[in-house]
Amino acid sequence: MRRLALAPVALLLASAAPAPDYDLVIRGGRVLDGAGNPWVRADVAVKDGRIVRVGQVPGRGAREIAAGDRYVAPGFIDMMDQSTEALLENGLAESKLLQGVTTVIAGEGGTPGDAADIPAYFGKLETLGISVNFGTYYASHQARVKVMGDGAGAPTPAQLEAMRKEVATAMRAGVFGISSALIYPPSSFQSTSDLIALAKEAGKCGGFYSSHMRDESGKLVEAVEEAIAIGEGGGVKVEIFHLKAAFAPGWGKLMPAALAKIDAARDRGVDVAADVYPYVAGGTGLDVSVPNWLWADGEEKGLARLKDPAVRERMKSELAAGPLPDWTNLVHASGGWENVRLANANSAEYDRFNGQTLAAIGKALGRDPADASWDILLAAAAQKKRAMALFFMMSEEDIAAALRRPWVSIGSDASAAVKLGGVDALGLPHPRAYGTFPRVLAEYVGKRKVLTLEDAVRKMSGWPAQRMGLSDRGLIREGMRADIILIDLPKVRDAATWEKPTEPATGIDTVIVNGKLTIDARRHTGARAGAVLRHPCPSVETLS
């Protein structure tokens, strides 16, 4: 009876308890503000999706996290993401979040559908719900293909004007600018003047021209000059995707020259910068082992030509000769087929060779490595898939030289995995999909001492946010969006390797996106608080 009599009193006391002052308070961590400043010991309070107090925080949060000696930092921004399609299939993006990434900027390959379809695409992402913030570019070749197909040739003035209108439509929908991937047909068929004309439309909205440049190997410096010229001619900001010196004979020479070109352009007022990924191998389709002229009449006819022995003999001669004026020979840049590793054959016939070099595969099949490569390419294409390979063609010294530049940020060139522990949505088992951002901390801060912790965090948060015009993200400051991560630095490790490329990273076990706890003790909470980021177009009335 006594217990029953006390029950209403307990209920009354519980109902009288004051409501929490904050949604979340992180207590006593080492706060890195994202601007490059030294850490300070402080609390961080979050309410309604924003950081509302940094310092000593009185009151209490509905959730309290004791940070201890962990670092409290802004969520990382992936400046070269490939999750355009993956987020439609699974918006959880666990492989990104476990790296500390809370915002991704995608679009090297463009957006699904035409420019007019972008609002519907954004709306679908919002309806499905995503766990990371997402922004994108519109690919310049999308406009070209819509107007004149996927073959070679120069557009007429009327066709170029139609392409400009497509770009204007995309900019009004909220993309951050236009992108190009000039190593790949049909993007490779675009001239500098064509790209300047399209960039001018992006420039009317304060947008970007962002590029996988025409050459990242022997003609790297010339490709940098072209990207800068497009920015100057188009009146746009320039972002160079995954800056690299992918040419073994030029290691130690090409990268310093390219960096000097960018420094000189910045000195004269060109808003140009770059991102990198911290690995010595690039990853892409085996189709880059084919000269661009094969695709001049489109993909279907190119695949048919690839079966012709006479065509193959010509291509083998060109592979042996090195770079061509309109084609980057990545096999030559890697030093030969022994430095090209099959990552994903994407066909039952050849999957058993995944992880082996093309030189070894050719020997096993009794074929020239080039023929083996092209047979694997055709087998995947027959399944409407793309055979993927790793090209080992960069040096650690060149990567370090790029990382030291203050205007260099980090981009993974990888998609979120649809399922944690699986290959990313591009079908490319490269460790950058799981390890890019932790590797910067573990390898280039911890082991190699290339960067300080403060500058590494700045390169992955405050600087890219400023670069992209995300004025309310990227910093631990009052009023900012609460994209926050906790870093247990001694435990940070990029577990993904060349042999096991899909191992999730460790050391970042708490991730908050727009104020919602999304990764808790390395487990996804199910929260989908990510936002679609739309680039504003203040001069929309001037668009053609």
Side-chain angles (χ1 to χ4, degrees):
M1 290 294 295
R2 177 177 169 81
R3 286 195 298 271
L4 290 173
L6 289 174
V9 176
L11 288 172
L12 180 63
L13 289 173
S15 63
D21 302 280
Y22 309 103
D23 299 326
L24 173 69
V25 178
I26 303 168
R27 297 284 182 187
R30 303 181 188 185
V31 175
L32 287 163
D33 67 356
N37 292 311
W39 66 265
V40 296
R41 187 77 69 176
D43 305 329
V44 178
V46 173
K47 189 175 180 65
D48 297 329
R50 292 187 181 269
I51 298 168
V52 294
R53 191 155 185 165
V54 180
Q56 282 192 327
V57 175
R60 64 185 183 92
R63 172 72 184 263
E64 298 258 342
I65 297 175
D69 279 337
R70 288 179 290 177
Y71 292 89
V72 181
F76 297 151
I77 299 174
D78 190 339
M79 287 288 278
M80 208 280 179
D81 170 74
Q82 299 279 11
S83 300
T84 304
E85 299 284 353
L87 293 179
L88 291 174
E89 191 169 350
N90 183 353
L92 295 183
E94 290 174 272
S95 58
K96 296 283 182 178
L97 290 163
L98 286 171
Q99 296 182 61
V101 172
T102 58
T103 298
V104 301
I105 306 297
E108 178 199 23
T111 59
D114 294 331
D117 300 321
I118 293 171
Y121 168 61
F122 285 167
K124 189 172 183 180
L125 288 175
E126 290 171 326
T127 299
L128 293 171
I130 53 179
S131 295
V132 291
N133 305 305
F134 175 86
T136 188
Y137 301 103
Y138 171 76
S140 58
H141 76 263
Q142 289 183 268
R144 178 186 170 93
V145 169
K146 180 174 183 182
V147 173
M148 57 183 292
D150 66 351
T156 66
Q159 287 175 324
L160 191 57
E161 180 59 26
M163 293 178 201
R164 288 169 60 110
K165 289 181 179 178
E166 289 297 306
V167 173
T169 297
M171 294 304 302
R172 285 197 296 269
V175 300
F176 281 80
I178 61 168
S179 63
S180 68
L182 300 179
I183 192 174
Y184 305 112
S187 187
S188 61
F189 301 139
Q190 297 174 298
S191 69
T192 304
S193 59
D194 293 345
L195 291 166
I196 288 173
L198 300 184
K200 286 180 178 178
E201 294 299 322
K204 292 175 181 178
C205 292
F208 284 81
Y209 169 70
S210 298
S211 182
H212 178 151
M213 297 183 297
R214 206 174 293 276
D215 196 303
E216 298 175 323
S217 299
K219 295 185 178 179
L220 171 64
V221 176
E222 292 90 334
V224 168
E225 289 174 334
E226 182 189 31
I228 291 168
I230 292 167
E232 287 187 290
V236 290
K237 294 171 278 191
V238 179
E239 178 72 12
I240 295 173
F241 285 145
H242 46 53
L243 178 64
K244 62 175 74 74
F247 188 61
W251 287 352
K253 303 172 186 176
L254 288 171
M255 181 60 80
L259 296 172
K261 282 286 181 186
I262 297 170
D263 281 335
R266 290 183 61 84
D267 287 345
R268 68 174 184 266
V270 183
D271 192 351
V272 54
D275 53 75
V276 301
Y277 55 74
Y279 294 92
V280 295
T284 189
L286 272 178
D287 45 21
V288 299
S289 67
V290 175
N292 286 343
W293 57 259
L294 188 85
W295 313 108
D297 295 318
E299 181 180 10
E300 184 177 349
K301 291 183 179 178
L303 291 171
R305 287 176 183 153
L306 191 55
K307 300 173 184 178
D308 185 334
V311 170
R312 288 194 175 199
E313 288 307 307
R314 175 185 169 185
M315 294 194 302
K316 288 175 189 175
S317 297
E318 293 177 354
L319 275 172
L324 292 178
D326 61 348
W327 174 55
T328 299
N329 184 344
L330 293 190
V331 179
H332 174 74
S334 300
W337 289 110
E338 61 270 23
N339 295 319
V340 180
R341 186 184 298 186
L342 182 64
N344 189 351
N346 263 322
S347 67
E349 185 177 359
Y350 295 106
D351 278 343
R352 69 186 187 278
F353 293 114
N354 287 347
Q356 298 183 34
T357 69
L358 266 298
I361 296 169
K363 185 176 181 180
L365 294 172
R367 303 177 206 169
D368 186 295
D371 286 314
S373 173
W374 300 331
D375 291 342
I376 294 168
L377 187 165
L378 287 169
Q383 305 299 318
K384 305 296 182 185
K385 294 181 179 180
R386 191 180 184 205
M388 309 299 285
L390 302 173
F391 295 80
F392 288 81
M393 54 192 175
M394 286 85 81
S395 77
E396 288 286 1
E397 291 73 17
D398 284 341
I399 293 170
L403 281 172
R404 290 188 181 101
R405 282 303 199 275
W407 40 262
V408 166
S409 57
I410 307 300
S412 70
D413 193 12
S415 169
V418 173
K419 182 179 180 181
L420 186 65
V423 176
D424 85 336
L426 296 179
L428 175 60
H430 190 302
R432 67 193 183 194
Y434 281 83
T436 291
F437 291 81
R439 180 170 174 80
V440 171
L441 297 176
E443 185 75 13
Y444 294 94
V445 174
K447 186 181 294 184
R448 296 179 182 269
K449 312 297 182 186
V450 172
L451 301 171
T452 65
L453 176 61
E454 292 84 357
D455 197 37
V457 169
R458 181 193 68 83
K459 283 177 172 292
M460 298 189 286
S461 57
W463 164 236
Q466 181 181 356
R467 176 90 176 121
M468 300 305 299
L470 305 177
S471 58
D472 59 351
R473 298 184 190 275
L475 298 172
I476 302 292
R477 287 186 184 164
E478 293 176 7
M480 305 295 283
R481 298 281 182 182
D483 296 337
I484 305 171
I485 63 175
L486 269 64
I487 304 170
D488 192 345
L489 194 60
K491 296 181 180 179
V492 169
R493 189 168 69 92
D494 51 315
T497 64
W498 301 116
E499 292 71 31
K500 295 183 177 181
T502 61
E503 291 292 316
T506 61
I508 300 175
D509 55 6
T510 302
V511 180
I512 297 150
V513 181
N514 291 316
K516 298 293 184 183
L517 188 60
T518 306
I519 296 292
D520 186 11
R522 291 181 50 76
R523 289 186 173 275
H524 201 295
T525 66
R528 295 175 183 252
V532 172
L533 306 175
R534 292 172 174 83
H535 179 71
C537 186
S539 303
V540 67
E541 69 278 358
T542 69
L543 288 172
S544 61

